[in-house]
């Protein structure tokens, strides 16, 4: 009995709260629009869907479009540490990075070398991830993954299964990320792999089975501070008191019910499924609703770049959404973004899943306005006001 009590106390002592700082960079979408080549990228996506209709035809705007991320974090894999910059993505559930066998499109990427890690365990199973933005394929392996960069406080997660890519599509070539760190549920993971954070929770490495995301307002420079992920606790430093919690309607993505999307005189009261997604820099919703919201804001649709253009000096009212008993207001400074050449766009895009999947993606504009609490243990989402000044 004494031994069991001692082991329990040791387990509690090892549980922790870990904070991971982020960096912000403009999404590939914004860079391509700024340089005038986004229409060519869109044509590439259309051709990719046509080439793989079974996988892609039903995804007019994929949740995991990695051309659309802006907030990056650092991790290490192996012993000693091998460093990687990854997108911390609540819209996917797999961890993958390039391996030493990755040649095409991997020239400027950090590559994992299994022969240099004393804790690496070979798996050998093949993996392949494909979506509307591109693809990655290779083999699975197992090693210690640590949240945070070398030289910082890190959270080690032993025996984590991850993908070692030997092929990545050209879409990822110029992206600033080395790979993707999926934070969603195991049910969403390709090949049923246990996601790293779920693995950490199963090993009792966190004080609580949840994490909080605080995103800073968009900056004007690359590599500026981007925010903080707090694993194992509600962030009470950057976030105010929790406004409310909402149970998940599906524990795959972080999916829940919302209603009453509004701006100005427009209101759509329909109750729909939505997801919170750190890997999407815009808000996505049904085209009919999004068009009306954009019209209320005074934005016009640029069919070539597939964005809503708006005057940079515009100050429309807040974009509202009701979750549970609370109405959340996204202010204009979080949903109007400067492309960089004096052109501004609404961080809003139309998407129609044809009755399948979520109707809305609450991406970074919503998460900048409200800290999002991803409570995996209780399968619910929490929301708290961001304490940052405008």
């Amino acid at each position: 009995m004494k031994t069991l009590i001692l082991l329990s106390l040791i387990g509690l002592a090892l549980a922790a709260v870990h904070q991971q700082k982020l960096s912000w960079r403009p999404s590939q979408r914004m860079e391509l629009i700024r340089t005038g080549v986004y229409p060519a990228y869109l044509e590439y996506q259309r051709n990719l869907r046509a080439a793989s209709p079974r996988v892609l035809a039903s995804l007019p705007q994929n949740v995991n479009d990695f051309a659309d991320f802006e907030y990056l974090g650092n991790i290490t894999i192996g012993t000693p540490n091998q460093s990687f910059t990854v997108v911390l993505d609540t819209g996917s559930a797999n961890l993958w990075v390039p391996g030493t066998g990755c040649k095409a499109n991997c020239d400027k990427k950090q590559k994992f070398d299994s022969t240099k890690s004393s804790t690496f365990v070979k798996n050998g199973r093949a993996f392949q991830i494909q979506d509307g933005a591109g693809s990655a394929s290779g083999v699975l392996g197992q090693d210690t993954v640590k949240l945070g960069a070398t030289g910082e406080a890190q959270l080690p997660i032993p025996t984590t299964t991850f993908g070692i890519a030997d092929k990545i599509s050209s879409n990822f070539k110029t992206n600033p990320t080395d790979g993707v760190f999926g934070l969603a549920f195991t049910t969403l993971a390709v090949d049923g792999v246990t996601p790293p954070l779920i693995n950490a929770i199963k090993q009792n490495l966190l004080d609580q089975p949840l994490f909080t995301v605080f995103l800073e307002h968009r900056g004007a420079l690359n590599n500026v501070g981007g925010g903080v992920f707090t694993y194992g606790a509600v962030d009470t430093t950057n976030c105010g008191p929790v406004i409310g919690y909402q149970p998940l309607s599906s524990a795959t993505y972080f999916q829940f019910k919302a209603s009453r999307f509004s701006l100005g005189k427009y209101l759509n009261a329909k109750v729909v499924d939505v997801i919170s997604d750190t890997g999407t820099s815009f808000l996505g919703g049904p085209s009919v609703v999004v068009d009306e919201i954009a019209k209320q804001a005074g934005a016009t649709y640029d069919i070539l770049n597939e964005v809503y253009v708006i005057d940079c000096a515009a100050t429309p009212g807040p974009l509202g959404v009701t979750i549970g008993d609370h109405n959340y207001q996204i202010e204009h400074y979080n949903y109007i973004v400067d492309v960089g050449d004096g052109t501004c766009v609404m961080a809003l895009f139309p998407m129609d899943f044809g009755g399948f999947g979520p109707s809305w993606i609450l991406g970074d504009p919503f998460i900048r306005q409200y800290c999002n609490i991803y409570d995996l243990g209780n399968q619910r989402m929490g929301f708290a006001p961001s304490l940052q000044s405008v």
Side-chain angles (χ1 to χ4, degrees):
M1 177 62 74
K2 290 181 179 179
T3 302
L4 288 174
I5 293 173
L6 179 60
L7 289 173
S8 298
L9 290 173
I10 291 172
L12 288 172
L14 291 175
V17 173
H18 178 76
Q19 290 197 316
Q20 182 175 19
K21 293 182 179 180
L22 310 178
S23 62
W24 176 86
R25 304 182 190 184
S27 70
Q28 187 180 17
R29 180 206 295 256
M30 291 293 96
E31 286 292 286
L32 294 175
I33 291 174
R34 183 181 63 80
T35 55
V37 297
Y38 193 56
Y41 173 80
L42 293 172
E43 181 63 25
Y44 169 82
Q45 284 194 312
R46 285 189 284 268
N47 291 338
L48 183 63
R49 288 186 174 90
S52 305
R54 183 180 65 83
V55 178
L56 301 171
S58 63
L59 304 178
Q61 169 63 45
N62 198 295
V63 170
N64 304 333
D65 188 342
F66 300 127
D68 204 27
F69 64 80
E70 294 188 325
Y71 295 89
L72 307 176
N74 295 308
I75 65 168
T76 65
I77 304 177
T79 309
N81 293 344
Q82 298 181 42
S83 300
F84 301 92
T85 300
V86 294
V87 53
L88 299 165
D89 183 28
T90 59
S92 66
N94 290 80
L95 166 61
W96 66 264
V97 295
T100 53
C102 188
K103 305 302 180 185
N105 307 318
C106 287
D107 291 347
K108 296 182 180 180
K109 307 292 185 188
Q110 296 296 319
K111 303 178 184 70
F112 179 72
D113 188 344
S114 61
T115 65
K116 293 183 178 180
S117 174
S118 62
T119 47
F120 178 76
V121 177
K122 184 177 180 179
N123 179 299
R125 287 170 54 200
F127 86 93
Q128 181 173 9
I129 295 174
Q130 186 170 23
D131 55 57
S135 61
S137 61
V139 296
L140 296 174
Q142 180 182 287
D143 212 328
T144 298
V145 173
K146 298 177 184 176
L147 294 171
T150 298
E152 300 176 348
Q154 291 185 299
L155 174 68
I157 310 174
T159 63
T160 296
T161 300
F162 65 103
I164 307 167
D166 53 32
K167 291 181 182 178
I168 63 174
S169 61
S170 58
N171 306 53
F172 294 112
K173 183 175 183 178
T174 57
N175 282 351
T177 182
D178 296 313
V180 177
F181 191 103
L183 288 159
F185 291 88
T186 307
T187 47
L188 191 64
V190 173
D191 297 324
V193 170
T194 301
L197 200 63
I198 299 292
N199 189 25
I201 291 169
K202 287 183 175 180
Q203 296 184 50
N204 297 314
L205 300 179
L206 299 176
D207 278 3
Q208 300 178 68
L210 57 82
F211 62 98
T212 307
V213 178
F214 160 74
L215 298 183
E216 294 181 10
H217 297 314
R218 279 190 46 153
L221 300 173
N222 290 1
N223 299 312
V224 298
V228 178
F229 273 52
T230 300
Y231 303 96
V234 175
D235 182 349
T236 56
T237 301
N238 299 298
C239 312
V242 175
I243 298 169
Y245 285 96
Q246 179 73 0
L248 297 182
S249 55
S250 175
T252 48
Y253 304 110
F254 290 92
Q255 181 172 312
F256 50 95
K257 299 290 185 182
S259 65
R260 302 185 67 81
F261 289 85
S262 64
L263 181 67
K265 296 180 180 179
Y266 177 76
L267 168 67
N268 184 284
K270 184 178 180 180
V271 178
V272 295
D273 280 301
V274 304
I275 66 169
S276 171
D277 183 19
T278 57
T280 300
S281 61
F282 280 23
L283 305 167
S287 57
V288 173
V289 180
V290 168
D291 284 343
E292 289 298 324
I293 289 174
K295 187 185 299 183
Q296 285 289 316
T300 56
Y301 191 64
D302 176 353
I303 194 170
L304 194 61
N305 287 298
E306 298 187 2
V307 292
Y308 294 95
V309 179
I310 191 168
D311 189 327
C312 291
T315 56
L319 196 164
V321 54
T322 296
I323 304 169
D325 297 328
H326 303 276
N327 183 258
Y328 297 85
Q329 304 279 310
I330 308 170
E331 300 294 343
H332 71 274
Y333 51 80
N334 275 325
Y335 67 76
I336 296 179
V337 294
D338 192 332
V339 175
D341 60 354
T343 300
C344 287
V345 300
M346 286 190 74
L348 200 64
F349 66 86
M351 65 172 211
D352 293 291
F353 275 94
F356 299 95
S359 296
W360 279 83
I361 298 174
L362 299 182
D364 296 341
F366 178 71
I367 305 172
R368 286 193 291 267
Q369 190 77 47
Y370 297 96
C371 296
N372 278 215
I373 302 158
Y374 300 83
D375 190 339
L376 295 103
N378 292 304
Q379 296 191 4
R380 63 180 183 172
M381 286 293 304
F383 309 99
S386 170
L387 295 180
Q388 63 188 313
S389 58
V390 178

